[in-house]
Amino acid sequence: MKIWLNGKIVPEEEAKVSVFDHGLLYGDGVFEGIRSYNGRVFKLKEHLERLYRSAKAIMLEIPLSLNELEGAIIKTLRANNLKDAYIRVVVTRGDGDLGLDPAKCPSPTIFIITSKIQLYPNPKELYEKGLSLVTVATRRNDIEALNPAIKSLNYLNNILAKIEATNSGALEAIMLNRDGYLVECTGDNIFIAKEEILCTPPLSIGILEGITRNVVIGLAQSFKIQVKEPLLTRYDLYNSEEVFLTGTAAEIIPVTKIDGRTIADGKVGSLTKRLMAGFKRLVNSQGKKYAL
Ligand code: PXG
């Protein structure tokens, strides 16, 4: 595997960062997870714009323009001969001293990893039957502490939730905020459907503005399905007709059981199926083209 590291394509074995990198010492940095499908990078601009917004929020200046970073991603995909890929772009605060102060870090570390997408084990069964999930005790970061809109390298909050899910035998954790309202999962946004209305938690509650979430909202609107962003509780989850998650890695994945409660009849719902089919059409027809 070839890695893009600070402007150079290097073999994986040579792609090393310093133990003084504040990305490692403090989780001080930002990242993106992007996908390409059959030689087209899906929603590349949207992902990069979010990366620059995350960086701005933590006062980290990315020393490359958006177009230069786009070029670096395409170069990495070519170097690895990948038509279908998962792309991880990471920008850290860079090397500093052992103190917290980011002013001691003169230049950010940037790297791009492109690899084959890693799916859940037995994906076919999961996408046809749906996931069985749990809500967890670990609350999503408070919006006033570390805003979940920032896709930062500090994912410990979500990792703690993931550990809880794993301990309960579930593949993902549904997270609530301090007030007990539904926010998102550890690496996915969440949607519920009831009476032909699609609902998802509002951005203002403290969630990542998922690129897939936005695509799904647009798709639903193009299908003339009403989309709302109300405050939602666990009660709303248990009593919905359909539940699904959205994320770059998982795309749209149905959920048929939550905290031991079967959602409706326990089968993947019709609205979820329509959106999954619509999403598949989009990823195969849109995106920044690149030749290998
Ligand atoms: N919420 C959170 C907290 C996320 O980390 C999403 C929602 C979905 O956003 P997109 O833009 O992908 O639709 C994410 C996605 C993984 C993984 O292994 C996923 C994410 C980060 C790290 C790993 O699935 N982010």
Side-chain angles (χ1 to χ4, degrees):
M1 190 191 281
K2 299 275 200 318
I3 312 288
W4 190 99
L5 174 62
N6 295 327
K8 291 197 193 92
I9 296 273
V10 296
E12 187 179 335
E13 305 73 45
E14 288 170 30
K16 301 270 163 64
V17 298
S18 164
V19 293
F20 291 97
D21 195 300
H22 278 212
L24 173 63
L25 287 175
Y26 296 115
D28 186 356
V30 293
F31 77 104
E32 272 302 320
I34 313 169
R35 253 177 108 161
S36 75
Y37 295 85
N38 195 25
R40 303 177 93 136
V41 189
F42 190 60
K43 299 286 170 195
L44 180 54
K45 277 247 146 45
E46 286 80 354
H47 278 284
L48 291 181
E49 280 166 5
R50 185 171 68 184
L51 181 77
Y52 282 81
R53 289 200 301 275
S54 293
K56 175 141 193 185
I58 68 162
M59 281 192 83
L60 170 59
E61 201 167 324
I62 301 176
L64 286 180
S65 69
L66 193 144
N67 283 339
E68 285 169 332
L69 197 50
E70 196 175 289
I73 290 169
I74 304 293
K75 201 171 161 185
T76 317
L77 287 165
R78 286 206 184 111
N80 288 287
N81 201 32
L82 285 166
K83 273 172 92 177
D84 293 272
Y86 181 77
I87 303 156
R88 177 63 60 93
V89 183
V90 179
V91 185
T92 83
R93 191 76 65 181
D95 294 7
D97 63 18
L98 290 176
L100 282 168
D101 189 1
K104 303 276 176 61
C105 306
S107 63
T109 302
I110 311 180
F111 56 87
I112 303 164
I113 305 169
T114 57
S115 70
K116 292 213 169 81
I117 179 88
Q118 278 175 24
L119 295 170
Y120 286 124
N122 304 322
K124 198 168 174 325
E125 189 177 320
L126 292 180
Y127 285 83
E128 281 169 9
K129 295 200 172 140
L131 299 172
S132 172
L133 300 187
V134 290
T135 55
V136 295
T138 303
R139 299 301 167 113
R140 191 75 177 93
N141 280 334
D142 201 83
I143 202 162
E144 282 113 25
L146 176 57
N147 194 326
I150 304 170
K151 202 163 167 62
S152 85
L153 292 181
N154 192 324
Y155 254 56
L156 203 44
N157 178 221
N158 302 39
I159 289 164
L160 291 174
K162 184 89 177 180
I163 289 169
E164 279 191 71
T166 306
N167 287 346
S168 312
L171 290 175
E172 247 292 12
I174 300 174
M175 300 180 80
L176 311 171
N177 72 359
R178 180 179 56 174
D179 300 320
Y181 291 111
L182 198 59
V183 280
E184 60 183 336
C185 294
T186 67
D188 299 286
N189 293 109
I190 188 160
F191 285 78
I192 70 172
K194 198 169 182 182
E195 290 161 359
E196 293 293 302
I197 299 173
L198 199 57
C199 294
T200 193
L203 297 178
S204 57
I205 202 174
I207 59 169
L208 184 75
E209 184 175 355
I211 306 296
T212 322
R213 177 186 182 276
N214 285 346
V215 170
V216 165
I217 290 173
L219 253 182
Q221 286 165 342
S222 75
F223 292 162
K224 306 273 183 279
I225 296 165
Q226 203 185 339
V227 184
K228 288 188 179 168
E229 298 177 48
L231 292 176
L232 296 164
T233 62
R234 286 192 299 165
Y235 173 88
D236 298 313
L237 265 184
Y238 302 153
N239 291 294
S240 59
E241 287 158 9
E242 301 183 30
V243 179
F244 61 84
L245 312 182
T246 65
T248 297
E251 303 176 322
I252 299 173
I253 189 159
V255 179
T256 46
K257 203 170 188 183
I258 300 170
D259 296 338
R261 281 86 161 168
T262 300
I263 305 305
D265 64 359
K267 302 220 167 69
V268 177
S270 60
L271 211 117
T272 308
K273 282 185 182 160
R274 277 176 74 193
L275 290 167
M276 285 168 82
F279 188 80
K280 209 180 192 80
R281 278 195 298 276
L282 285 185
V283 297
N284 287 311
S285 61
Q286 292 185 352
K288 166 114 187 142
K289 271 192 189 161
Y290 59 96
L292 291 178

